[in-house]
Amino acid sequence: MNASYSELRARARDSLRGNWGKAIGGFVLTILLAAVIGLINYLIPALGNVISFLISGAISLGLISFYLGIARKENPPVSEVFSGFAQFIKAFCLYFMVGLFTFLWTLLFIIPGIIAALRYSQAYFILRDNPDIGIMDAIRESKQLMLGNKWRYFVLQLTFIGWAILAAIPFGIGYLWLCPYISVTQAHFYDEVTGRYRAPAPDSF
């Protein structure tokens, strides 16, 4: 039986227990990187956009690796956020192809674009667990995993809307907690649909 949305969020909170500082630290690192890129773009127009385009794949892969490690209680270091650079070319190609496919579907209409984004949402997780997999194979495997799961994944995101509204008050500070919470929940969703999740053994008395 598929885990409920509340159960997936509960698993995320359990994984984050004792790891909130680390999880927030990884998120803050990406905010600082974005700020640096924004400064570069301010000083040298367009250069920051080029840098962002080139490294977005590596950062996405690193963030997913970091939060998946937290979800699995592997105690990853905060530096795991930058681990995607070890597969820079492959991460960039995945970023480019997923973005291209999603854009092409969006040309048909907004709804097909959203469905495409959901269809390809697990590709970085797959690459993280299978570093030698080909880009198109990762995309195809994501499509296969999301058969019958796209709506579940979409609704899972919607369950955070209330928290997103609260996190915006005051000054969006709450997003420092909410974004890692969402990311770890998404990691648990991936482990759920791939069958990797194993319930903890009951305590013995």
Side-chain angles (χ1 to χ4, degrees), residues 133-147:
I133 196 171
I135 296 304
M136 296 309 299
D137 288 334
I139 291 173
R140 280 191 288 269
E141 190 168 327
S142 179
K143 289 169 61 177
Q144 186 64 33
L145 278 178
M146 294 305 284
L147 286 175

Side-chain angles (χ1 to χ4, degrees), residues 108-176:
L108 296 178
F109 202 62
I110 298 298
I111 299 301
I114 293 173
I115 293 173
L118 295 170
R119 184 184 298 131
Y120 308 134
S121 63
Q122 308 303 298
Y124 283 106
F125 290 101
I126 293 166
L127 177 58
R128 192 271 193 182
D129 276 342
N130 306 275
D132 296 326
I133 196 171
I135 296 304
M136 296 309 299
D137 288 334
I139 291 173
R140 280 191 288 269
E141 190 168 327
S142 179
K143 289 169 61 177
Q144 186 64 33
L145 278 178
M146 294 305 284
L147 286 175
N149 286 307
K150 291 187 286 293
W151 179 249
R152 285 185 64 217
Y153 192 68
F154 178 69
V155 174
L156 179 62
Q157 315 312 310
L158 294 182
T159 64
F160 290 101
I161 287 180
W163 287 111
I165 295 172
L166 291 175
I169 307 169
F171 312 117
I173 297 298
Y175 283 100
L176 293 176

Side-chain angles (χ1 to χ4, degrees), residues 3 8 23 27 52 66 88 108-109 142 147 155-156 177 181 187 198:
L8 289 170
F27 180 59
S52 178
F66 176 61
F88 180 82
L108 296 178
F109 202 62
S142 179
L147 286 175
V155 174
L156 179 62
W177 285 265
Y181 181 26
R198 294 292 180 270

Side-chain angles (χ1 to χ4, degrees), residues 16-74:
L16 284 162
R17 191 172 297 116
N19 287 304
W20 278 107
K22 178 185 293 186
I24 292 170
F27 180 59
V28 169
L29 275 181
T30 62
I31 293 176
L32 293 176
L33 180 60
V36 170
I37 292 174
L39 178 61
I40 292 173
N41 205 49
Y42 175 77
L43 297 174
I44 309 175
L47 179 59
N49 291 333
V50 172
I51 294 173
S52 178
F53 175 68
L54 292 175
I55 71 172
S56 287
I59 293 299
S60 296
L61 180 59
L63 276 171
I64 277 176
S65 181
F66 176 61
Y67 287 117
L68 188 60
I70 289 179
R72 294 174 176 173
K73 299 185 178 181
E74 295 172 349

